[in-house]
Amino acid sequence: LGIFTYDPGFTSTCSTKSAITYIDGDEGVLLYRGYPVDQLAEHSSFIEVCYLVLHGELPKKDQLEAFEGSIRRHTMINEGVKRFFDGFYYDAHPMAMLTGVVGALSAFYHDTTNNKDPKHREIFAHRMIAKIPTIAAAAYKKFYGQPFMHPQNNLDYCSNLLQMMFAVPAEPYHVDPVAARALDVLFILHADHEQNASTSTVRMAGSTGCNPYAAISSGIAALWGPLHGGANEAVLNMLDEIGDAKHVPEFMNKVKNKVEGVRLMGFGHRVYKNFDPRAKIIREQCHKVLKHLGKENDPKMELALKLEEIALSDDYFKQRKLYPNVDFYSGIIYEALGIPVNMFTPMFAVARTVGWCAHWMEMTADSSTRIARPRQVYTGAPVRNYVPCDQR
Ligand code: CMC
């Protein structure tokens, strides 16, 4: 290997320096800009956390107002962007639509191709954070064949998203504040997570100097996978498949014997080897939302609790340090709020957009950034001479 280190999956490679998010996987600590995520989830709002993640400090009142005002001003999408949705089949996965439409934003905003100007970088982040709920909601409406709902900028960030998804033109729609706050807390918990696969993808694409909307689109594509953000959808599908608590032992045997690669989705994490602090908060939030909606005896919640209880006392999971992660309970909240399973990962994408933007801004502002270019261990044929087709 010479001077190179073979590190598949980057288990021991630091690809960058970053001042945004800190994780201590053994202690279950997650800090955004030094602030514990549990304190932010309890006291802050998603929009304030966006400012913190982007700018490094909690905003003063006037800074928060100006930031929130800018986000509200950028929620609309160009009519041309809207027409992209007409080109998709009705049953396109919303993540497929998100990947395509966000990538297409690069064709609409040429000013941000000047990545070196801090003002341009900031306006890109504001546009992205403001427009991603509008695009996610439009993907939902396309899937359900309902008319697209415009953003209502008198609403807060999450209420506006719920409105764009669930309102229809003919009827008044009132956002449930408990639902909006539950979404806000989920979004705070998903806002950033240092060099996870999608963020690393954004950084890798961005390191080439490409258009930032295209870099975010590549992050959305990486997030979609079931080992990453797609796990929230996979958890609900798994719970549906198991169906009843009586089938749990049979399912667990499959997992432990690795039958057809079956995994307990929503369990395990590359970094957290003790517990995922986000999962703990989400579990509490789950109980709160289900109680508010009168769904305390939700069968999926009961099944998830049963699975967690069995897994946490099982040697297979103990030996491998596998604990519930952020995706184990988030889907149950989404489902209780009426969000369909195929929209779970888009919800994650909406929340993670600020993290992607912050990492792209940090990387682009750093003059020491070099193009990301890993090496490989070549395992192919040694050098050989070309043989004409009729002699092979
Ligand atoms: N169920 C059963 N076995 C598991 C699981 C699981 N969920 N996760 C890991 N293992 C086993 C794995 O088979 C391996 O066993 P062995 O040592 O016998 O080969 C061992 O634990 C180590 O697993 P790994 O795949 O080498 O660990 P990793 O750090 O490469 O992968 C992970 C981390 C999150 C991809 C993995 O734990 C997993 O696939 N979990 C299920 C999917 C999931 O919930 N993903 C969401 C992650 S958190 C949110 C996010 O990133 O977006």
Side-chain angles (χ1 to χ4, degrees):
L1 286 176
I3 59 163
F4 302 116
T5 311
Y6 177 55
D7 182 17
F10 308 113
T11 55
S12 59
T13 298
C14 295
S15 59
T16 187
K17 290 180 181 171
S18 178
I20 301 170
T21 291
Y22 173 79
I23 303 176
D24 181 334
D26 295 324
E27 296 299 321
V29 171
L30 171 59
L31 313 176
Y32 297 156
R33 303 286 190 180
Y35 293 99
V37 74
D38 50 320
Q39 287 186 24
L40 295 169
E42 191 176 344
H43 303 295
S44 188
S45 66
F46 178 65
I47 211 75
E48 187 178 61
V49 167
C50 285
Y51 184 99
L52 172 70
V53 168
L54 288 178
H55 297 288
E57 296 297 336
L58 284 168
K60 293 188 170 51
K61 198 166 175 284
D62 57 329
Q63 290 171 320
L64 183 60
E65 275 169 15
F67 177 68
E68 215 172 4
S70 175
I71 299 299
R72 285 178 205 270
R73 267 198 312 284
H74 286 99
T75 50
M76 301 269 278
I77 53 174
N78 186 293
E79 288 295 303
V81 173
K82 225 165 79 183
R83 281 196 286 277
F84 272 77
F85 288 95
D86 296 338
F88 292 108
Y89 276 135
Y90 72 94
D91 61 350
H93 195 287
M95 282 301 277
M97 295 192 247
L98 230 60
T99 314
V101 172
V102 170
L105 291 180
S106 53
F108 290 80
Y109 301 109
H110 305 298
D111 53 349
T112 35
T113 46
N114 178 3
N115 297 346
K116 296 289 163 224
D117 184 335
K119 277 259 158 314
H120 286 176
R121 290 200 290 265
E122 195 175 331
I123 197 74
F124 147 72
H126 289 198
R127 278 198 195 117
M128 216 33 265
I129 294 166
K131 292 182 198 309
I132 190 79
T134 314
I135 294 170
Y140 170 92
K141 289 299 200 190
K142 169 74 190 184
F143 189 84
Y144 285 94
Q146 288 182 357
F148 177 86
M149 295 299 289
H150 287 283
Q152 276 183 21
N153 291 339
N154 58 329
L155 296 176
D156 64 76
Y157 194 83
C158 286
S159 300
N160 202 9
L161 172 55
L162 289 171
Q163 178 274 133
M164 286 189 284
M165 284 172 67
F166 297 130
V168 285
E171 287 169 33
Y173 177 77
H174 300 291
V175 181
D176 175 351
V178 176
R181 177 60 190 159
L183 206 54
D184 209 62
V185 171
L186 279 179
F187 282 9
I188 291 172
L189 298 174
H190 284 85
D192 191 44
H193 214 230
E194 52 120 300
Q195 305 311 318
N196 58 85
S198 57
T199 304
S200 297
T201 304
V202 170
R203 276 188 177 262
M204 187 155 206
S207 78
T208 68
C210 73
N211 182 288
Y213 299 97
I216 299 294
S217 165
S218 67
I220 295 172
L223 184 78
W224 191 1
L227 299 187
H228 192 8
N232 55 16
E233 179 173 339
V235 169
L236 252 278
N237 291 336
M238 173 186 79
L239 294 175
D240 274 340
E241 247 175 74
I242 299 173
D244 191 282
K246 69 173 189 261
H247 298 132
V248 168
E250 184 195 335
F251 174 76
M252 282 301 199
N253 280 338
K254 267 195 195 169
V255 171
K256 291 194 283 180
N257 294 319
K258 304 187 185 203
V259 177
E260 292 151 19
V262 173
R263 287 191 166 197
L264 179 55
M265 299 311 283
F267 255 69
H269 198 274
R270 172 62 64 76
V271 187
Y272 295 119
K273 297 298 174 195
N274 192 341
F275 68 95
D276 180 338
R278 303 167 299 173
K280 232 171 144 180
I281 303 168
I282 289 182
R283 201 203 293 110
E284 284 163 25
Q285 198 66 27
C286 219
H287 284 299
K288 213 185 265 179
V289 170
L290 292 176
K291 189 161 179 235
H292 168 74
L293 297 170
K295 297 182 180 173
E296 288 104 322
N297 301 323
D298 181 78
K300 293 233 172 76
M301 183 68 179
E302 281 175 9
L303 190 54
L305 287 168
K306 184 93 197 141
L307 275 170
E308 183 186 10
E309 183 194 320
I310 292 177
L312 292 181
S313 58
D314 190 297
D315 281 345
Y316 174 95
F317 294 91
K318 281 200 226 167
Q319 281 157 9
R320 291 170 179 79
K321 301 186 175 184
L322 302 171
Y323 296 88
N325 61 47
V326 69
D327 291 322
F328 194 65
Y329 285 104
S330 61
I332 297 175
I333 303 187
Y334 289 139
E335 194 177 66
L337 298 181
I339 296 170
V341 177
N342 65 1
M343 280 301 291
F344 292 0
T345 314
M347 292 289 123
F348 193 155
V350 170
R352 183 56 57 84
T353 291
V354 61
W356 292 328
C357 292
H359 281 272
W360 180 85
M361 285 169 76
E362 185 181 59
M363 180 192 69
T364 311
D366 181 355
S367 57
S368 68
T369 296
R370 300 175 73 188
I371 187 168
R373 202 327 183 166
R375 299 305 304 270
Q376 64 166 13
V377 175
Y378 177 65
T379 59
V383 63
R384 46 188 172 162
N385 290 325
Y386 178 80
V387 181
C389 195
D390 59 353
Q391 292 169 32
R392 286 172 211 160

